[in-house]
Amino acid sequence: MIVYKFGGASISNIERIQQVIQIIENIEAGEKAVLVISAMGKTTNALEKVVDAFFQQKATEALQLFEVIKQQHLTVAKYLLVKEYNTCYARMIDIFTEVEWLLHDKPVRAYDYYYDQIVCCGELLSSTIIHFFCKENGLNTQWIDIRDVLLTDNNFRDAGIIWDITAQKAQQVFLNTAHSIYITQGFIGATTDNESTTLGREGSDFTAAILGNVLEAKSVSIWKDVEGVMSADPKMFKEAVYIPELNYNEVIEMAYYGAQVIHPKTIKPLQNKHIPLLVKCFLNPSLPGTIIHNAKHLHFPPIQILKDKQVLITFQSLDFSFIGGQSIQNIYAFLNALKLIPNLIQFGAISVQICLDDKAEKINELAMLAAEKFDVQVQKNLQLFTVRHYTAAILNAMNAEENVVLRQQTPITLQILKLQKQ
Ligand code: ASP
Ligand code: MG
């Protein structure tokens, strides 16, 4: 069993979908494969606008926005399909109707619930089109509604996986039948009450890893529009290079510091079962891509990551007492309550400094909560620059940087927090 994940960019237009079919056709005969499909292009962003309009009780606007998404998908299906068009059309209409029914109601439940019921149609539509296009090309694929397999709690928009039931269902659905190529959706799941859920933006990578784990896949491949994992964003760093081999730990570190490589939740399910993760280029499938596995003693180039929109919060004890376990516990209780994860922490004698993503509302709440126990200062408009495996030249350059408000260094990682250029 192998798992392939195709992201939104790889199926954003007709030519790309045709390219993806070639990759599917090249799966070796006799190999079982699960193909995890994201929504086409920027569909999820467009669906988010539908949810916003609906929730603000602008029903006509919501329906109009949805109509545009419908027409885009119908156009793609019409272009790609001849024999299979009618069956595909009927399936798509079912998916549209489900959303339209909901849009005709008034919102009475929480925003996140509606978000998941509406946004999930992006993946249902794209996977339906790809499935029928495979059939049109003579591939005997089987379409699976992942909501019958991937069961979650009802923490809408960030649903937690119910692993034991998911494993059981996935094995029943994907392993016990004669089919060899399955097409299903990334990013979405369902509660045991059959309500749709989503796993958080960019969650399709995570779906591929979950299925890889429970089906004990040989490998999981993520098909992207880049050669493989890069050492930095090539748009910002001319010295960015492609990295052929990485290990799980390095990728987790990279994701933590803000590299937009792979959804951070993807690694653990694969690492636990020693399943290699391949990052492959759909524009040129013959390129080797990047392999991420358990390798030790790898030599890495300097990996550079910029994270914008950071804030630095300084918590200083009110009575000038030393910072001890109790103060740290208090700070962590506030962070946990608001589901905030620090990007960097520095301890001083009477203060703790924490760098966080600037989610303005939550930062205000945190500052208010903490003000009872600390003197709190908030500094905004910062940028966190992290370099792993830095060289002497990079060290010198970073030492010469101006407007630095915090600096941290270990033998492997060097970080500076500096004022963001406006
Ligand atoms: N379609 C979803 C998103 O755009 C999930 C994904 O692409 O992984 O966030
Ligand atoms: Mg995507």
Side-chain angles (χ1 to χ4, degrees):
M1 174 67 79
I2 56 171
V3 178
Y4 278 2
K5 179 250 164 171
F6 294 102
S10 69
I11 51 165
S12 59
N13 59 40
I14 285 152
E15 293 75 43
R16 289 195 165 177
I17 295 177
Q18 284 163 335
Q19 252 166 343
V20 158
I21 296 295
Q22 288 179 15
I23 296 173
I24 301 172
E25 282 173 336
N26 280 334
I27 295 173
E28 271 176 49
E31 181 73 86
K32 267 186 171 256
V34 178
L35 314 182
V36 174
I37 314 282
S38 290
M40 286 176 61
K42 301 272 176 244
T43 305
T44 305
N45 294 354
L47 286 165
E48 286 184 340
K49 299 219 165 73
V50 175
V51 184
D52 288 346
F54 167 73
F55 205 71
Q56 289 161 21
Q57 310 224 17
K58 297 179 189 158
T60 321
E61 189 186 327
L63 284 161
Q64 275 166 358
L65 290 168
F66 189 61
E67 188 61 32
V68 177
I69 299 168
K70 267 171 74 171
Q71 291 310 325
Q72 280 165 348
H73 284 82
L74 285 170
T75 307
V76 172
K78 224 175 263 170
Y79 191 92
L80 290 172
L81 306 172
V82 183
K83 282 200 317 275
E84 301 290 343
Y85 181 72
N86 286 342
T87 337
C88 181
Y89 177 80
R91 293 266 198 100
M92 290 170 79
I93 292 296
D94 286 346
I95 301 168
F96 297 149
T97 310
E98 236 181 272
V99 175
E100 282 166 341
W101 268 355
L102 191 149
L103 293 180
H104 280 106
D105 278 345
K106 290 235 173 322
V108 287
R109 293 182 60 172
Y111 178 91
D112 289 355
Y113 164 79
Y114 290 110
Y115 181 102
D116 285 3
Q117 310 318 304
I118 294 171
V119 163
C120 70
C121 85
E123 271 68 14
L124 293 168
L125 289 168
S126 61
S127 61
T128 300
I129 296 175
I130 307 274
H131 164 64
F132 283 103
F133 190 47
C134 283
K135 281 195 165 299
E136 183 95 19
N137 283 277
L139 289 162
N140 184 21
T141 47
Q142 167 102 343
W143 187 86
I144 302 288
D145 188 333
I146 200 68
R147 295 173 300 176
D148 297 331
V149 177
L150 202 150
L151 291 196
T152 70
D153 58 23
N154 63 359
N155 187 17
F156 296 106
R157 286 184 77 183
D158 187 21
I161 314 300
I162 306 175
W163 282 91
D164 48 352
I165 309 182
T166 298
Q168 208 181 4
K169 297 221 175 219
Q171 285 154 14
Q172 271 163 15
V173 169
F174 295 109
L175 296 179
N176 284 340
T177 62
H179 270 277
S180 59
I181 300 184
Y182 297 90
I183 297 200
T184 194
Q185 308 79 38
F187 174 58
I188 69 175
T191 64
T192 44
D193 295 333
N194 275 327
E195 291 176 323
S196 301
T197 53
T198 66
L199 311 181
R201 285 303 306 263
E202 303 302 324
S204 298
D205 291 354
F206 184 35
T207 304
I210 295 164
L211 294 177
N213 174 296
V214 298
L215 299 172
E216 315 238 325
K218 268 198 301 211
S219 65
V220 171
S221 302
I222 294 186
W223 293 87
K224 286 173 129 359
D225 55 0
V226 287
E227 195 183 342
V229 177
M230 304 289 290
S231 65
D233 182 345
K235 286 183 228 113
M236 281 187 281
F237 296 89
K238 60 180 183 328
E239 63 275 34
V241 289
Y242 140 78
I243 312 174
E245 189 180 9
L246 281 165
N247 53 31
Y248 301 117
N249 287 352
E250 190 63 31
V251 174
I252 289 178
E253 296 278 350
M254 288 170 75
Y256 174 68
Y257 292 121
Q260 314 256 310
V261 224
I262 288 154
H263 193 283
K265 285 187 188 161
T266 310
I267 300 301
K268 200 71 201 146
L270 300 178
Q271 187 174 24
N272 284 351
K273 295 231 170 129
H274 310 288
I275 300 167
L277 175 64
L278 306 164
V279 178
K280 295 273 292 174
C281 179
F282 63 78
L283 300 167
N284 187 354
S286 64
L287 292 175
T290 298
I291 178 162
I292 300 159
H293 54 168
N294 246 338
K296 291 200 176 85
H297 313 299
L298 292 175
H299 175 77
F300 298 113
I303 294 173
Q304 309 189 68
I305 306 153
L306 270 176
K307 209 168 191 218
D308 289 342
K309 287 206 197 125
Q310 300 293 297
V311 289
L312 182 66
I313 308 194
T314 306
F315 304 86
Q316 188 170 323
S317 59
L318 289 174
D319 55 1
F320 286 86
S321 60
F322 287 153
I323 291 289
Q326 189 55 50
S327 339
I328 295 165
Q329 235 175 41
N330 288 338
I331 294 174
Y332 260 92
F334 300 142
L335 293 174
N336 285 341
L338 294 166
K339 290 194 181 163
L340 287 168
I341 298 172
N343 296 327
L344 188 140
I345 304 183
Q346 186 130 307
F347 291 101
I350 56 165
S351 68
V352 181
Q353 292 190 292
I354 298 192
C355 167
L356 295 153
D357 292 346
D358 189 2
K359 296 175 185 152
E361 266 174 42
K362 287 197 174 187
I363 298 297
N364 283 345
E365 243 181 286
L366 173 65
M368 304 256 281
L369 278 175
E372 283 180 20
K373 295 197 162 27
F374 301 91
D375 173 34
V376 182
Q377 283 165 40
V378 179
Q379 187 173 11
K380 293 205 173 213
N381 295 322
L382 302 173
Q383 186 180 47
L384 181 62
F385 181 33
T386 303
V387 185
R388 302 218 357 119
H389 317 286
Y390 54 87
T391 58
I394 290 176
L395 183 62
N396 285 337
M398 282 173 83
N399 282 340
E401 285 268 2
E402 284 170 10
N403 298 322
V404 173
V405 298
L406 199 85
R407 191 171 179 287
Q408 243 179 40
Q409 182 178 359
T410 71
I412 294 178
T413 310
L414 179 55
Q415 292 186 291
I416 54 175
L417 188 63
K418 59 180 179 173
L419 298 184
Q420 177 130 29
K421 286 196 193 99
Q422 297 293 329

